[in-house]
Amino acid sequence: MSSFNPFEEKPLPIEKTFMNWDTIYPCPYNKETTDPYTKCRIVLMNGTEFEAQWFSRNFSRHCTDNDLRRELALVRRIEQQQQKRISCLKPKNESILEHTITYEQLAVDLTSVLAKQEPDCLVRNALNFALLEDFDHLYRYSNLLDYEYGICPKKLVGGYTEITPARPTISEHRYPKDSIFPYVNNDTASILTKLNIGIITAAEQQTMNYYMNVASLYDKSDLGRRLYQEIGMIEEQHVSQYESLKDTTATWLEELLMHEYTECYLYYSCMQTECDKQIRCLWEECFVQEIAHLHKAKDLLCKYEGKEWQQVIPCGDFPELLCLRPNIDYVRSVIETTTGNTQLGECIVPLCTLQADDPFYCYQDVVNEKVCRVASHAVIDRYINSKGCDYRFEVAPNPICELQNRRCDNTELARNPECTPESTQVCGTTKGECSCEIQTEEGPFCI
Ligand SMILES: [Fe+2]
Ligand SMILES: [Fe+2]
Ligand SMILES: [Fe+2]
Ligand SMILES: [Fe+2]
């Protein structure tokens, strides 16, 4: 595909892009017939617009120039209209829990796609690390969905994504200080790395916010509400991890430019890969609006900081576009080699390398004081008690034998040092130190 540079496009004036109420309220998708990845793109772009909104608000709160704040307010109004329009593509008859399956499927397949094309080893490790956690969330929510609604989770994910445990959610609760990675250097990081960090941070933040809001709105059971609370805490951890990778030295206007460039890249990717005609038109319209935002951000950067856009984005050409697709073999290879890992300080390490007095254990002892009260475990336990074995959708047995027993939920893996799979790989993930790329059919990954 030939390269595309959004800085070379002719922008519309921002005022020409306001939308009326009928445009803001589109015809929702049909939940039975719409492709799961179309639903995933909708969740992704809703989260991207949320990030645009909250970035702009924080910028405005830290800005002393009212002319600049008026410019931000103008663009922000369109971002808000876009968010409204995209979020109401979700139909009324799709439940909170069905929509949750889309959130976790997006987390799995978006993270996999980004990790596969990520050139920076540190960022790729961070992606692979959280990938297994969202993958496990998909399994826990799927069991709840089948148990409480009798809806087939495999149908919801279209058979594109496996549903089976990975690093058990109970093992993902770590001491909060163990959720910060070193940040990348914007001067040396590739544009793909910067895009990937921004995209995944916004997506995880959207998931965190969604669970923060819906835990109290879930009306089917206390167990379900508790599951949203628990998994919401892991999403909080994911946001801390991903946002810590962002270069913290960028100025507000440099960040604004990068945000608008990311929106252009994502809508352009959505346009190119969308199979639903009506929704593809919507992505195209949003893309045109984002071109206007990008050029506005470029002008503001020049006016207020005297910088050209090339100083932030040296070559404006889009890198390889983002295409959501199945990643079953890739996820299997990551499960096989990294499920037994945890985070300690800024490093990802096998759990068995922790010292007995590392804070991971103290934190685990408090939050998981009684294993039977941990919702992510209780939901599987309840399912097994009622149906004999858990709900899974697998194309082959789980890649590690510790997770193959469907009649007993494993609460020890990656939590008890004696339960570390033999295939777990050791890796120093301190910046620039990684030398452990593993070849898979789909290319290299490192742990
Ligand atoms: Fe936007
Ligand atoms: Fe998740
Ligand atoms: Fe997540
Ligand atoms: Fe924008």
Side-chain angles (χ1 to χ4, degrees), residues 45 60 79 96 163 190 204 236 286 314 324 327 330 365:
M45 296 320 298
S60 195
E79 311 283 20
I96 288 173
I163 300 172
S190 76
E204 293 290 337
E236 190 277 332
C286 288
L324 291 176
N327 300 281
Y330 181 80
D365 285 348

Side-chain angles (χ1 to χ4, degrees), residues 324-388:
L324 291 176
R325 52 163 75 100
N327 300 281
I328 289 177
D329 291 343
Y330 181 80
V331 175
R332 284 185 157 266
S333 60
V334 180
I335 290 176
E336 200 176 338
T337 48
T338 69
T339 303
N341 285 338
T342 190
Q343 185 171 351
L344 177 66
E346 295 179 354
C347 295
I348 295 167
V349 297
L351 182 85
C352 57
T353 63
L354 260 53
Q355 305 293 314
D357 60 351
D358 274 327
F360 173 82
Y361 294 113
C362 304
Y363 186 74
Q364 279 272 325
D365 285 348
V366 174
V367 296
N368 298 333
E369 188 185 5
K370 288 192 185 119
V371 170
C372 65
R373 304 298 296 157
V374 180
S376 61
H377 164 63
V379 72
I380 303 301
D381 227 24
R382 188 176 292 190
Y383 194 103
I384 292 171
N385 285 338
S386 138
K387 308 204 180 198

Side-chain angles (χ1 to χ4, degrees), residues 27-50:
C27 178
Y29 58 75
N30 180 329
K31 73 169 186 173
E32 306 293 345
T33 56
T34 299
D35 187 77
Y37 288 140
T38 296
K39 296 179 191 171
C40 286
R41 278 186 283 273
I42 289 165
V43 169
L44 171 65
M45 296 320 298
N46 185 36
T48 302
E49 290 302 343
F50 181 93

Side-chain angles (χ1 to χ4, degrees), residues 280-321:
R280 186 167 61 237
C281 291
L282 191 148
W283 300 143
E284 286 166 359
E285 288 168 22
C286 288
F287 175 71
V288 169
Q289 294 171 323
E290 295 303 341
I291 292 288
H293 301 179
L294 179 72
H295 285 257
K296 172 64 79 178
K298 174 196 79 173
D299 294 343
L300 294 173
L301 180 71
C302 186
K303 181 175 174 188
Y304 288 93
E305 292 186 9
K307 290 178 192 150
E308 297 301 321
W309 61 266
Q310 291 93 338
Q311 291 173 258
V312 181
I313 302 166
C315 166
D317 290 354
F318 286 148
E320 189 181 338
L321 297 183

Side-chain angles (χ1 to χ4, degrees), residues 104 107 111 130 133-134 137 203-204 207 231 234-235 238-239 242:
E104 295 295 351
T111 309
E133 306 193 338
D134 288 316
H137 302 167
E204 293 290 337
T207 312
I231 294 182
I234 303 302
E235 305 305 348
H238 289 170
V239 181
Y242 286 131

Side-chain angles (χ1 to χ4, degrees), residues 8 49 67-69 74 77 100 132 137 151 161 165 168 199 206 248 251 256 284 302 326 332 351 364 371 379 412 446:
E8 289 169 2
E49 290 302 343
D67 287 333
L68 179 50
R69 299 211 291 186
L74 176 63
R77 185 63 58 83
T100 300
L132 295 194
H137 302 167
I151 293 175
T161 312
I199 291 165
Q206 177 60 30
T248 52
T251 66
L256 178 66
E284 286 166 359
C302 186
R332 284 185 157 266
L351 182 85
Q364 279 272 325
V371 170
V379 72
E412 298 297 313
C446 57

